[in-house]
Amino acid sequence: QKEVEQNSGPLSVPEGAIASLNCTYSDRVSQSFFWYRQYSGKSPELIMSIYSNGDKEDGRFTAQLNKASQYVSLLIRDSQPSDSATYLCAVSGSYIPTFGRGTSLIVHP
Amino acid sequence: EADIYQTPRYLVIGTGKKITLECSQTMGHDKMYWYQQDPGMELHLIHYSYGVNSTEKGDLSSESTVSRIRTEHFPLTLESARPSHTSQYLCASSESFTAGTEAFFGQGTRLTVV
């Protein structure tokens, strides 16, 4: 059974801080890794994808991948209240992406 | 901006009715998926398709059925709706020529069966 594990949270950070979201996966042949943001009652929205070890930065977001440790993370710098949402980690080694349960992030003013 | 559309957005229907949830994408994606998600809960894959005339059941057992007659269209049908079918249904699509490309989601259909 392929698994993607995330701490459900909630993770609470003050406005302007760095939020760190973590994800581990069990399938060693996984090739592609994604972070989605989902606001309450809305559908998931892709915010980052990463395919190779290391860091990938896009604006305030940085995705980090370590395939040896089977670990992927998302850092959100200068967190804003509008970043409050559930963040889903998704992993794909075949054609079917597997989603984690998501981590709830709360950014308080 | 992903071009994947679901209709209706909201549906309230009586027990025993037959319903079809529509999903269409204009990106030419071969792979399409249906997920079911209860409020505050995780996504569950209920059906997927690799392309025209391909349909497979997902991880979560579902009484729904799907069809894929055209690349852009992947409707989901419930022959006899029950209150246990009340949930949000999310359709997604992705390209197929490389493994593991990102999936794009439609806006979802929130179904309530009374």
Side-chain angles (χ1 to χ4, degrees), chain A:
Chain A
Q1 177 77 7
K2 300 174 185 176
E3 292 185 349
V4 178
E5 299 288 341
Q6 295 182 257
N7 189 323
S8 62
L11 172 66
S12 182
V13 300
E15 184 175 357
I18 296 174
S20 178
L21 304 164
N22 304 313
C23 172
T24 59
Y25 59 94
S26 63
D27 188 0
R28 285 191 170 275
V29 301
S30 298
Q31 301 171 14
S32 310
F33 307 86
F34 311 102
W35 283 100
Y36 289 80
R37 177 176 61 201
Q38 186 175 26
Y39 292 113
S40 180
K42 303 295 185 182
S43 61
E45 173 193 12
L46 179 71
I47 54 173
M48 288 287 288
S49 57
I50 187 166
Y51 303 97
S52 54
N53 281 329
D55 296 358
K56 179 181 178 181
E57 187 175 319
D58 183 0
R60 296 186 296 112
F61 299 99
T62 299
Q64 299 174 318
L65 175 61
N66 184 324
K67 291 186 178 180
S69 299
Q70 296 175 246
Y71 177 91
V72 58
S73 65
L74 179 71
L75 301 177
I76 306 175
R77 290 182 300 280
D78 188 24
S79 296
Q80 302 297 309
S82 59
D83 293 327
S84 298
T86 296
Y87 289 80
L88 305 174
C89 173
V91 173
S92 181
S94 63
Y95 293 112
I96 310 300
T98 301
F99 286 83
R101 290 176 175 265
T103 297
S104 175
L105 173 66
I106 299 171
V107 181
H108 54 88

